[in-house]
């Protein structure tokens, strides 16, 4: 039987990957623009190849993150969802006079 901490860590990992995915997309877009700009200005330069390298790194991170999240989503479709029980406010107790 799986421990509860495994599920909690998995939920945290999914939440963190969902938060970092736009960062990877922004990095890929930035480096794509940089590679295009330096390729236009100075084709074949070292700066262009460095921009292309960073573009490949960020595109790889984005694709791996998206693939992992997609697999987690399709794997979790068959399971029932368990939500936390609603919390009841504790009744106020007054001290006897």
């Amino acid at each position: 039987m799986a421990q509860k901490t495994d599920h909690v860590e998995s939920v945290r990992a999914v939440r963190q990957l969902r938060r970092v995915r736009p960062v990877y997309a922004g990095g890929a877009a930035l480096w794509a623009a940089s590679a295009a700009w330096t390729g236009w200005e100075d084709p074949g330069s070292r700066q262009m190849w460095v921009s292309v390298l960073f573009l490949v790194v960020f595109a790889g991170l984005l694709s791996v993150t998206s693939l992992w999240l997609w697999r987690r989503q399709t794997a979790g479709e068959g399971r029932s969802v368990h939500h936390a029980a609603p919390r009841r406010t504790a009744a106020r107790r007054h001290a006897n006079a």
Side-chain angles (χ1 to χ4, degrees), residues 88-94:
R88 296 181 182 174
T89 57
R92 293 186 178 194
R93 297 180 183 213
H94 298 282

Side-chain angles (χ1 to χ4, degrees), residues 18 25 27 33 45 66 77 84 95-96:
R18 283 186 181 150
S45 66
S66 297
E77 286 178 355
N96 291 337

